[in-house]
Amino acid sequence: MTTSDTYTDSGDAEVAIAAARAGADADVVRGMYGRRLARIDKGAGDFATEADVAAEKAIIDVIRAARPDDTVLGEEGGRRGAADAARQWTVDPLCGTLNYAVGTMLVAVNVALRDGAAAVADPFSGEVFHTDGTSAWVRRHDGGEGAAGEAEGADALLAPAPDTRLVDVNLDPPFPGAPGFRGVDLLAHPGFVARFRPRVVSTTLALAWVAAGRRAAYVTDGGDLSESVHFAAGIALCRAAGCVVTGVDGAPLGRAGRGLVAAADAETHGLLMSMIGGR
């Protein structure tokens, strides 16, 4: 059976899952982990590795086989297809490249269809967080069982919850919101210190963790992130799971957007917004 035969008739969510898994697979991100990899300099301290490029190719091969008429926007290779296409996929083949390059297993493989399905794969846990645009689940593919005892390949519904009190804050530059918004200031706010505990994992895998109840919230600076290759898949998961998702100014995400606050519930979101706006 060819790749085209396998995925052409699949729903968009299954295409997204298959694509994310292809990038995360033992032959790509997981398999290349720990090797001495060539780096591709992007400037300002940013870079890609051979693994980023290989993962993007594997992901795009799946999408192109299943949806040959769709446009794909990849972090490493740019756009393939018309910029004004009705169906556009965003691909971040390795979110957390700096972590990966120094041997830290905190990365995500992100695939999202604009206004539709999305998948975020964790290459090292075997989990794929995914949504059809309406509901969100997690599926395991590592041959084991999930935390709730679900069998390999079974889907467990994602249930956001603030119980951990852990808030992941992106502290990577640049800081376009400064001085009006700086993540480091939020961490020093007395209300934050009293209520939450900060985490900085430097990968949008943390957005999937908000949707799954492993983080109470995620906060990052930035402009319009709604169709960003880095953030689109995680945003789609959080929305489908029922999280509260806005910019750091409390406004809906969109072309005039400013950063991102994704919270497990309205109370957590309100508390964070009061701190962000109350400095």
Side-chain angles (χ1 to χ4, degrees), residues 40-47:
I40 303 158
D41 183 37
K42 295 183 177 183
D46 192 16
F47 61 88

PDB file of all heavy atoms in Angstrom, residues 40-47:
ATOM      1  N   ILE A  40      22.138  24.946  10.832  1.00  0.00           N
ATOM      2  CA  ILE A  40      21.874  25.945   9.799  1.00  0.00           C
ATOM      3  C   ILE A  40      21.563  27.251  10.512  1.00  0.00           C
ATOM      4  O   ILE A  40      20.540  27.375  11.191  1.00  0.00           O
ATOM      5  CB  ILE A  40      20.678  25.517   8.922  1.00  0.00           C
ATOM      6  CG1 ILE A  40      20.948  24.142   8.300  1.00  0.00           C
ATOM      7  CG2 ILE A  40      20.393  26.561   7.854  1.00  0.00           C
ATOM      8  CD1 ILE A  40      19.704  23.405   7.883  1.00  0.00           C
ATOM      9  N   ASP A  41      22.444  28.218  10.403  1.00  0.00           N
ATOM     10  CA  ASP A  41      22.310  29.471  11.143  1.00  0.00           C
ATOM     11  C   ASP A  41      21.173  30.317  10.574  1.00  0.00           C
ATOM     12  O   ASP A  41      21.063  30.510   9.366  1.00  0.00           O
ATOM     13  CB  ASP A  41      23.625  30.249  11.073  1.00  0.00           C
ATOM     14  CG  ASP A  41      23.575  31.541  11.885  1.00  0.00           C
ATOM     15  OD1 ASP A  41      22.954  31.537  12.957  1.00  0.00           O
ATOM     16  OD2 ASP A  41      24.150  32.545  11.428  1.00  0.00           O
ATOM     17  N   LYS A  42      20.311  30.813  11.476  1.00  0.00           N
ATOM     18  CA  LYS A  42      19.209  31.690  11.076  1.00  0.00           C
ATOM     19  C   LYS A  42      19.436  33.124  11.538  1.00  0.00           C
ATOM     20  O   LYS A  42      18.610  33.998  11.269  1.00  0.00           O
ATOM     21  CB  LYS A  42      17.883  31.174  11.654  1.00  0.00           C
ATOM     22  CG  LYS A  42      17.453  29.823  11.120  1.00  0.00           C
ATOM     23  CD  LYS A  42      16.092  29.461  11.706  1.00  0.00           C
ATOM     24  CE  LYS A  42      15.583  28.152  11.158  1.00  0.00           C
ATOM     25  NZ  LYS A  42      14.224  27.832  11.682  1.00  0.00           N
ATOM     26  N   GLY A  43      20.512  33.361  12.266  1.00  0.00           N
ATOM     27  CA  GLY A  43      20.801  34.689  12.786  1.00  0.00           C
ATOM     28  C   GLY A  43      20.187  34.912  14.149  1.00  0.00           C
ATOM     29  O   GLY A  43      19.243  34.221  14.568  1.00  0.00           O
ATOM     30  N   ALA A  44      20.717  35.897  14.863  1.00  0.00           N
ATOM     31  CA  ALA A  44      20.229  36.292  16.190  1.00  0.00           C
ATOM     32  C   ALA A  44      20.234  35.131  17.178  1.00  0.00           C
ATOM     33  O   ALA A  44      19.376  35.033  18.054  1.00  0.00           O
ATOM     34  CB  ALA A  44      18.832  36.891  16.089  1.00  0.00           C
ATOM     35  N   GLY A  45      21.180  34.210  17.003  1.00  0.00           N
ATOM     36  CA  GLY A  45      21.304  33.092  17.922  1.00  0.00           C
ATOM     37  C   GLY A  45      20.396  31.912  17.622  1.00  0.00           C
ATOM     38  O   GLY A  45      20.433  30.908  18.328  1.00  0.00           O
ATOM     39  N   ASP A  46      19.586  32.022  16.580  1.00  0.00           N
ATOM     40  CA  ASP A  46      18.653  30.954  16.233  1.00  0.00           C
ATOM     41  C   ASP A  46      19.271  30.071  15.150  1.00  0.00           C
ATOM     42  O   ASP A  46      20.064  30.535  14.326  1.00  0.00           O
ATOM     43  CB  ASP A  46      17.334  31.550  15.735  1.00  0.00           C
ATOM     44  CG  ASP A  46      16.236  30.516  15.646  1.00  0.00           C
ATOM     45  OD1 ASP A  46      16.379  29.429  16.243  1.00  0.00           O
ATOM     46  OD2 ASP A  46      15.213  30.796  14.980  1.00  0.00           O
ATOM     47  N   PHE A  47      18.889  28.801  15.150  1.00  0.00           N
ATOM     48  CA  PHE A  47      19.407  27.883  14.137  1.00  0.00           C
ATOM     49  C   PHE A  47      18.458  26.698  13.974  1.00  0.00           C
ATOM     50  O   PHE A  47      17.602  26.431  14.828  1.00  0.00           O
ATOM     51  CB  PHE A  47      20.805  27.382  14.515  1.00  0.00           C
ATOM     52  CG  PHE A  47      20.853  26.620  15.815  1.00  0.00           C
ATOM     53  CD1 PHE A  47      20.634  25.251  15.854  1.00  0.00           C
ATOM     54  CD2 PHE A  47      21.127  27.282  17.018  1.00  0.00           C
ATOM     55  CE1 PHE A  47      20.673  24.549  17.053  1.00  0.00           C
ATOM     56  CE2 PHE A  47      21.178  26.588  18.216  1.00  0.00           C
ATOM     57  CZ  PHE A  47      20.949  25.217  18.235  1.00  0.00           C
TER      58      PHE A  47
END
